[in-house]
Amino acid sequence: MRHVLIPAAFALTACVSTPASAPEPTTVSLTGQITGADHQTYRELPFVVPAGTHRITIDFSYDKENRTVIDLGLRDPQGQRGWSGGNKTHIEIGDSDATPSYQPAPIQPGEWKLVLGIPNIREGQTSPYKADITFSPDAAPAKSHPAFAATTLVTGPAWRRGDFHMHTAHSDASCDVDAARAPCPSIHTFEAARDANLDFVAITDHNTITQLADIAAQQAAFPKTLLIPGTEITTFNGHANVIGNTDFLDFQLGSPRLPTLGKLLDQADAAGAFVSVNHPGLPSGEVCMGCGWTVKDTDWSRVTAIEVANGSSLRQGGPAAGLRFWDDLLKQGYRLTAIGGSDNHDATDRAGAKQPPIGYPTTAVYSSGLSTKAIIEGVRSGRVFIDLANTPAASLDLSVHVGLQTTRMGGRITLGPNEAATVDALVSGQPAGATLTLIAHNLTIDGAAATQIDNAAAQVRIALTPGATHAYLRPEIRDAAGKILMIGNAIYVGPR
């Protein structure tokens, strides 16, 4: 992907004229145009904020003909100030308040940059744009913002049920507010999670972390539901959730700010967070820009999880694409935890009339406690299952025993030549007619080579295929019609 600066060939003009101080509101305009050559690139348009400014207002417009899309973000002299993508054209940033998606903080004088992301413009097209930027010396009344602090709601090992993917007003969630469609306040998301009896939810707004202030302000009001910070890193070549970060992350993949995915993985590691690739099997194009995963040279050994079940995908026919993507990586020897997420964009739609409600699907994580750190460690362990039917009483676990070795989902066991292991499936809360299916690679089950065993017994024996260097076994639960109800994670098998 090419990073395009601001060459004259693109007919970019910036009319910037600012006084040394701002005794009264002053407006400047940035104007220019993008062309087909800007497709899937970023531009950063500089402007100077005068001393004495306490509020910046930006009004952005552009020609949207022929499916042209321009996303917006902002950088101040210290770094990222926020990202609203394509869902906001009027933005205000003040010392102590800001439009959701942007960080309130004292306005620093100096060079700022309006960031344009261009996920789509067709070849041969041009699109003029204009940004009117107003600097105001009027300071709003000071507001205090509670600082985010990691919390532990419950201690002790148990299965915890939650949702790893959702959005609020801090990105592109919308709902009916005062009888009009508007950005959907975070409180609706928190309430929906509580009412769905979820133990945790991750708030993963696109390329921003400004929802953190809402989490900090509201966590005490939800003592049974852990509100986990996160970011959906949205690039032109795929989307990935970072779960557990509390700072902005670089997202401009392919630009000098994020030349490769490796830098993002480094940032996630430094934050103690994990990375999950979202809806990787979806197609990418004008209907769903950047939705499928096409990032070249992805180091899958550094990725923790795959979102094999996405709520929107489930509504469109099932999780098959995510499952195939995950299975293909497992067959290559990678160890990746399968998780799910609703990808909810309207928390007030509790019945799922137009989109998946929060908690559909639900991901259950066996964790040492109910804290962000414990949930992250639980996902990394791989002892996780996805409940596609959202049945709170249902459970699924798998264990393998050979000699003194015992492991559960997410673990690894070794087998010698002609050695077999016993597999126990622990299943409860399933509807009548539900059956266990075992998906295997490079294994024999009860002495027979198999890639899939339907209606499997609760206990079987497995052996490694001769010559295989890696193998795995994972469980699914299907209803009487063959529809997948639950997806369990893999147990990995290797030679001794």
Side-chain angles (χ1 to χ4, degrees):
M1 182 168 65
R2 298 169 51 220
H3 174 71
V4 180
L5 297 176
I6 312 175
F10 292 160
L12 173 65
T13 60
C15 307
V16 181
S17 177
T18 60
S21 61
E24 58 184 40
T26 304
T27 300
V28 300
S29 295
L30 305 179
T31 61
Q33 67 177 11
I34 62 169
T35 73
D38 292 300
H39 179 68
Q40 296 191 350
T41 64
Y42 296 94
R43 287 197 192 183
E44 296 187 2
L45 311 181
F47 60 93
V48 176
V49 174
T53 298
H54 292 281
R55 179 171 295 274
I56 298 172
T57 302
I58 301 172
D59 287 289
F60 186 77
S61 60
Y62 68 98
D63 185 351
K64 300 181 181 180
E65 290 296 317
N66 297 306
R67 294 182 177 264
T68 296
V69 178
I70 300 178
D71 293 336
L72 290 182
L74 197 63
R75 300 184 68 88
D76 66 18
Q78 300 302 314
Q80 293 188 55
R81 193 62 177 249
W83 177 263
S84 54
N87 64 84
K88 298 178 179 76
T89 58
H90 177 82
I91 300 162
E92 296 190 22
I93 304 99
D95 294 337
S96 60
D97 66 301
T99 298
S101 303
Y102 294 88
Q103 192 80 52
I107 303 296
Q108 300 167 298
E111 184 178 87
W112 290 48
K113 293 178 180 178
L114 182 65
V115 182
L116 307 186
I118 302 103
N120 196 62
I121 182 170
R122 294 174 177 174
E123 186 176 354
Q125 297 294 316
T126 61
S127 176
Y129 63 79
K130 182 181 182 183
D132 292 322
I133 305 175
T134 300
F135 311 111
S136 173
D138 298 328
K143 296 181 181 179
S144 61
H145 299 284
F148 173 81
T151 184
T152 299
L153 299 185
V154 181
T155 59
W159 285 101
R160 269 88 193 197
R161 298 171 65 89
D163 187 339
F164 281 110
H165 190 173
M166 63 195 66
H167 301 275
T168 72
H170 291 271
S171 57
D172 55 347
S174 63
C175 58
D176 291 333
V177 179
D178 297 328
R181 204 69 181 170
C184 202
S186 300
I187 188 65
H188 293 308
T189 293
F190 305 157
E191 291 172 342
R194 176 200 61 199
D195 294 347
N197 294 314
L198 296 181
D199 298 303
F200 67 88
V201 287
I203 316 301
T204 54
D205 283 305
H206 297 282
N207 296 340
T208 191
I209 199 65
T210 57
Q211 68 272 27
L212 201 63
D214 293 347
I215 294 174
Q218 294 293 330
Q219 177 64 84
F222 297 89
K224 295 183 179 180
T225 306
L226 180 69
L227 309 177
I228 298 176
T231 302
E232 183 170 18
I233 299 298
T234 307
T235 80
F236 303 136
N237 300 106
H239 301 180
N241 275 348
V242 179
I243 305 296
N245 64 299
T246 56
D247 289 310
F248 283 106
L249 301 169
D250 287 308
F251 62 89
Q252 293 169 238
L253 185 62
S255 77
R257 296 196 183 280
L258 187 64
T260 68
L261 192 66
K263 182 181 177 183
L264 174 65
L265 295 171
D266 290 342
Q267 292 175 338
D269 287 346
F274 77 82
V275 174
S276 170
V277 169
N278 292 343
H279 42 69
L282 289 181
S284 292
E286 289 185 340
V287 174
C288 195
M289 290 172 285
C291 290
W293 191 259
T294 59
V295 179
K296 295 181 179 179
D297 302 321
T298 301
D299 184 352
W300 293 106
S301 67
R302 300 189 62 192
V303 176
T304 297
I306 300 289
E307 186 189 69
V308 304
N310 173 277
S312 296
S313 300
L314 289 174
R315 287 172 63 90
Q316 297 170 12
L323 277 173
R324 286 195 297 270
F325 194 97
W326 178 50
D327 268 328
D328 286 345
L329 289 169
L330 297 185
K331 289 175 182 177
Q332 295 173 50
Y334 294 108
R335 296 171 63 175
L336 296 150
T337 302
I339 64 174
S342 65
D343 203 356
N344 178 270
H345 284 71
D346 181 354
T348 66
D349 186 2
R350 301 290 186 87
K354 296 182 179 179
Q355 62 172 299
I358 288 172
Y360 177 74
T362 298
T363 302
V365 179
Y366 194 83
S367 66
S368 62
L370 188 52
S371 68
T372 294
K373 181 179 180 182
I375 295 297
I376 289 173
E377 289 174 347
V379 172
R380 286 178 173 153
S381 79
R383 196 175 176 189
V384 175
F385 67 83
I386 306 168
D387 182 357
L388 304 177
N390 197 7
T391 308
S395 66
L396 171 64
D397 205 355
L398 203 68
S399 61
V400 173
H401 318 276
V402 57
L404 298 178
Q405 297 183 81
T406 296
T407 192
R408 296 184 183 273
M409 291 188 299
R412 184 177 186 272
I413 202 163
T414 58
L415 293 175
N418 303 315
E419 188 174 30
T422 300
V423 179
D424 289 309
L426 306 174
V427 181
S428 64
Q430 302 301 324
T435 60
L436 172 66
T437 293
L438 295 177
I439 311 297
H441 176 67
N442 283 340
L443 292 172
T444 60
I445 301 179
D446 284 338
T451 56
Q452 180 169 315
I453 301 294
D454 291 316
N455 303 321
Q459 188 176 85
V460 297
R461 288 178 65 78
I462 61 169
L464 189 65
T465 300
T469 59
H470 60 270
Y472 69 89
L473 180 79
R474 63 175 184 84
E476 295 177 355
I477 301 295
R478 297 175 181 266
D479 67 13
K483 181 180 178 180
I484 300 177
L485 301 177
M486 306 184 79
I487 300 169
N489 267 279
I491 290 178
Y492 304 92
V493 183
R496 184 176 301 168

